[in-house]
Each structure stands twice: as structure tokens, then as C-alpha cells.
Amino acid sequence: MNDVAPGIPLTIVEVPPPTFRSRAAAAESIDGGPRLIELLAEAENALRRGEYGAAALQTDAAEVSALWALATHWRRRSVIALSGDAVVGLATVRVPLRESLDSARIRIGVASNAREHGIGGALIDVAERIAREEGRTRLRLRAPHVAGVPFDPSAGWIESPDGVGRVPAAAASSRFLTHHGWSLAGVERVSALDLQSGAASQTEALDAQIAAALAAIEPEYALHVWSGPTPPEWLGGVANLSADLPGDAPTGHAAAGESSWDVNRVASNDVRIAAANRTALVVGVEHVPTGTLVAFSELHLWRDHPNRPALQGLTIVHPEHRGRRLGLLTKARLVRELRERAPECPGIVTWSPESDARLVSLGERLGFRPIGVEGVWTKTLEPLPEEPETDEAAVTDAATAADVAAVTDEPAAAGTPTATD
Ligand SMILES: CC(C)(COP(=O)(O)OP(=O)(O)OC[C@H]1O[C@@H](n2cnc3c(N)ncnc32)[C@H](O)[C@@H]1OP(=O)(O)O)[C@@H](O)C(=O)NCCC(=O)NCCS
């Protein structure tokens, strides 16, 4: 036990990596084996409800297991903080395995009724220690700020270093992260498109935009629509376009910005998406004279939850083909396809960097409206001294590591590979 706050005995438990054979198998085994995965999914859901209140972004143990166990290009380690039987927080560290080998993405969250007791501080210490164990020093995490949540504006703002976007300095996450040595590196806009209100007029407006954009580019370009796994003829094109993304690309797509995309990775990612109960809906653009894929935009729909909003994934136009409204065309057509194929879908949620004026205005033209922003924070860990420390901080770390090992029934697992590659 780690007595972080008086009255709240806290245990931090590392969740062993799940094994995943099929969604059905995962669901059956939840009562027995991977109870900790279920607790992790619960904690994630509580956090997401607080962030965007959207049933949209809810998850479950089978989805968590699928996305985690079937990952081939990154490894994830997660811990949950327990107060008695109650999950009061989580921390996840995700490390890429093929590129950016000094980097890690972290997620931290504490249950809203357990904040300001030092639990977040304990979790971020554990997350940073795990990152170190994985050999990572460049850390990144995202802190959401939901539109409509009150904060004290007199405390001012923390401005994004690129000059576009800011987060409230008084927000709990801003104070917390600054206190723990993190810096704001950028701001992303979270937007939603409401597909249910004014549906008929929206459809007409979309049709007009699609017709105008198509008239300008045909017959040099042709549109292709697919749902589910990437058709074999476009696997190479999707891999090439994904690999070209810059490291700070929009992150609605979990692995955006990772350059090691190839045909096998696209195919294995399709398997993960399907196992996670999602269906991809994609509009691609072929450059007809060369037969290559030069743009695509993708959405993820929930197979068993048609009433959840769809998530926007990547939208990419090859640099040589920009300025021809291919971005607008693919996104508009995607919305149109979604309306036809899933008329009950309430909307789409998307993430775009505030600094990417083109992407932001493209979304606005299609009717997306901001629902919040996410601060992207970074921290670079200092190298550890060569000699083991004997001061108080080192003792605290050791105690936490012992707690983790004791409760998981497994060694604290320095870098147990979860990847299937
Ligand atoms: C940001 C977040 C993780 C902080 O979690 P937390 O458990 O409240 O964090 P802590 O208790 O360690 O620290 C928060 C504050 O409480 C104070 N505090 C810590 N222990 C305390 C105690 N026993 N009594 C009173 N105050 C205490 C800390 O000094 C800290 O103040 P500061 O932020 O001004 O430095 C939490 O607000 C959260 O989950 N937010 C939503 C998710 C999110 O934004 N995640 C991304 C950002 S990390």
C-alpha cells in the first residue's frame, strides 16, 4: 500500500498485457482472468465521460484488449490506481517500437471525486519511471479542456509556442503538469459534426460541394469508397500516404506521425480495427494517369453501437496533389456516405491542430463545430546519474515498484512485449 493521502490507501497495480484471440473469447474471459483490463476500461470510461461527456468515446474491455494485444508497432504498459476496490486513476505509457525510439506517449487520469489527494502525482511518477525503464526520455501527453467547463479566466492563459491556441492556466491539468515539469507544445481543436439536425439541407449542401469539386478534377482523378479492410489494390497507397505524415500530424488516428507504415502494417491495423468492434469507412482518390492513390480520408464506425458518433481518422492528400480540393472532396463524400450507410449515426468527432489552418477551415466548411481543445504537453527526462541513489526519492520509487509487483501476481514486467510482430 502506498499511503498517498490520509484516508485514501492507494495501491498502484500494473495491468498485465492482454492476450486476445477473438472478441467473443475476450468477453468470456473477463469474469475470470483479465479483471484488471475490465477495471482499466472502466477507469478509461470514467475519464472520457468527464472529458467530453460523450457516450461516443466510451470503450470496453474487449476493445481495450484488441487495440492493445494486436498492436504490432508499439508496446503499451498501463497501471491503475486502486483505493480499496475502487479504481481512482490510470496511467498508460505507449512506446513506438520502430521509430522515435526515445519517445513515449503518456495518458494520466484521476477519478473526479479523488483529485487533489496526490494520486495524479503518484501516477505521473510511475508513468515517468516506466518510460525510463523502456529507455524513453522524450515524453508527450494530451490534456483536454472541454467547452463549457468553467475555469478562472483571471489566471490567464498558457499560449502555444507556435502562437496558435492556448489553454487556461487555472485548469487543474495546467497547474498539475507545470508543477511536474511539463511544457505546453501545441494545441489541438476537438470538433464535432452534428448529423441529425438539419439533415436534408446538409445533404444538399454536401452534394453541391462534391459536385463542384468533382467537376474541377475529373477525369484526372477518380474516387473510390470502401468499408472494412483496405482493398488489396490500395494497401500500398494507404501505406505510402500514411508514412509521409509529419510527426505532428493530427492525432485522431492513434498512430499518426509514425513513419514505419508498410503494406503489412496497414493490413494488421485493419485486423485490429475489426477486432476492436469498429468498421472503417474510407474515401480514396486515385490519380488516374498513374493509377496511384493520392489522397484518402477515413472514419471509424462502431459495429455494435450505431448510436455512437463516428471517429474521424486520417485525412491525407499527397503534397504534389494539394490545392485541388481533394481534401474537401474526400471528407464531404465521406460524410455523404456515412449518412447513407448509417443514417442513425449522430455525428462525427475529429481532432485537428489549431495551427493547421487548412484542416480547421476545411472542417468548418463541412459544418464541424469546436467542442473543446487538447493541450499537447511534452517533457524531456534528464538522464539518470550512473550511481544508484540512496536518498528519500529513490526509496519511494522502490516502494512503489514493490507494490506494483505484489499486486499483479507477476513481476513488474520490464518491457514485456505485447506486440504480435
Ligand atoms: C490532472 C489530474 C491528472 C491531476 O490529478 P490529481 O490526483 O488531482 O493530482 P494531484 O493530487 O497529485 O495534484 C493536484 C493538486 O493537488 C494538490 N495536492 C496533492 N496532494 C494533496 C493533498 N493531500 N491535499 C490537498 N491538495 C493536494 C497538489 O499540490 C496539486 O496542486 P497543483 O496542481 O497546484 O500543483 C486530474 O485533474 C485529472 O485526471 N484531470 C482530467 C484528466 C486530464 O486532464 N489528464 C491529462 C492531464 S495529466
Side-chain angles (χ1 to χ4, degrees):
M1 290 293 199
N2 185 357
D3 240 344
V4 171
I8 304 188
L10 187 75
T11 316
I12 295 183
V13 179
E14 178 151 2
V15 180
T19 50
F20 186 87
R21 280 167 290 135
S22 69
R23 279 185 60 76
E28 275 164 24
S29 58
I30 282 164
D31 283 338
R35 166 86 184 138
L36 290 176
I37 298 276
E38 194 182 25
L39 291 178
L40 181 69
E42 271 173 29
E44 185 62 48
N45 276 341
L47 202 58
R48 293 184 190 187
R49 276 194 298 275
E51 286 169 356
Y52 295 110
L57 304 176
Q58 296 291 283
T59 186
D60 56 41
E63 186 200 10
V64 168
S65 301
L67 292 177
W68 184 353
L70 300 181
T72 54
H73 284 60
W74 47 265
R75 171 166 58 234
R76 163 177 166 164
R77 289 177 63 188
S78 290
V79 298
I80 50 176
L82 292 165
S83 177
D85 284 343
V87 187
V88 290
L90 66 83
T92 286
V93 181
R94 197 186 111 141
V95 298
L97 300 174
R98 304 288 170 87
E99 68 273 294
S100 306
L101 296 179
D102 58 345
S103 77
R105 291 190 194 180
I106 291 180
R107 176 156 172 80
I108 302 276
V110 174
S112 53
N113 60 359
R115 291 179 188 166
E116 313 225 327
H117 290 287
I119 297 170
L123 283 168
I124 206 156
D125 286 349
V126 170
E128 290 183 13
R129 200 193 62 233
I130 289 175
R132 275 192 192 285
E133 283 172 15
E134 298 286 336
R136 314 295 164 130
T137 50
R138 279 195 311 119
L139 313 184
R140 191 175 175 94
L141 69 67
R142 309 160 69 82
H145 303 270
V146 186
V149 172
F151 61 92
D152 174 10
S154 67
W157 301 88
I158 302 175
E159 303 286 338
S160 172
D162 62 12
V164 193
R166 58 189 190 172
V167 297
S173 57
S174 303
R175 287 187 283 115
F176 172 82
L177 289 166
T178 306
H179 176 95
H180 286 277
W182 290 69
S183 311
L184 186 68
V187 173
E188 289 208 355
R189 180 187 293 208
V190 189
S191 312
L193 176 66
D194 178 353
L195 289 176
Q196 293 303 324
S197 60
S201 60
Q202 273 184 15
T203 304
E204 279 169 26
L206 279 174
D207 285 345
Q209 298 199 35
I210 293 167
L214 264 180
I217 59 159
E218 279 177 337
E220 197 182 354
Y221 297 91
L223 292 194
H224 300 277
V225 182
W226 66 87
S227 171
T230 313
E233 65 271 30
W234 301 126
L235 280 170
V238 169
N240 289 340
L241 287 168
S242 305
D244 284 345
L245 269 178
D248 57 356
T251 43
H253 189 292
E258 294 173 3
S259 56
S260 62
W261 281 93
D262 56 22
V263 168
N264 290 337
R265 183 171 183 183
V266 174
S268 70
N269 198 48
D270 287 345
V271 170
R272 284 176 67 232
I273 297 305
N277 193 27
R278 300 181 190 174
T279 303
L281 178 61
V282 186
V283 174
V285 182
E286 177 189 5
H287 181 239
V288 176
T290 55
T292 51
L293 193 75
V294 294
F296 75 87
S297 183
E298 65 175 353
L299 285 176
H300 287 180
L301 285 75
W302 301 94
R303 260 207 315 280
D304 299 343
H305 303 284
N307 294 324
R308 287 183 184 173
L311 299 176
Q312 175 78 55
L314 288 178
T315 300
I316 315 175
V317 180
H318 190 280
E320 286 170 17
H321 298 267
R322 289 185 186 159
R324 290 170 218 199
R325 302 170 84 196
L326 297 184
L328 179 74
L329 183 59
T330 50
K331 284 188 85 136
R333 179 67 190 271
L334 203 46
V335 175
R336 188 73 172 85
E337 287 292 326
L338 180 64
R339 276 195 177 296
E340 269 180 35
R341 293 174 188 231
E344 65 280 46
C345 182
I348 303 173
V349 181
T350 188
W351 283 256
S352 6
E354 285 284 18
S355 56
D356 191 339
R358 194 162 35 192
L359 195 61
V360 167
S361 88
L362 204 160
E364 284 172 349
R365 286 177 65 178
L366 291 173
F368 281 87
R369 297 290 168 254
I371 56 170
V373 296
E374 292 191 357
V376 180
W377 294 73
T378 55
K379 178 174 181 177
T380 303
L381 297 178
E382 297 298 328
L384 282 180
E386 296 276 312
E387 294 298 314
E389 288 193 60
T390 54
D391 63 12
E392 203 182 322
V395 173
T396 311
D397 267 5
T400 314
D403 288 342
V404 170
V407 186
T408 53
D409 293 335
E410 287 188 8
T416 312
T418 62
T420 50
D421 53 354

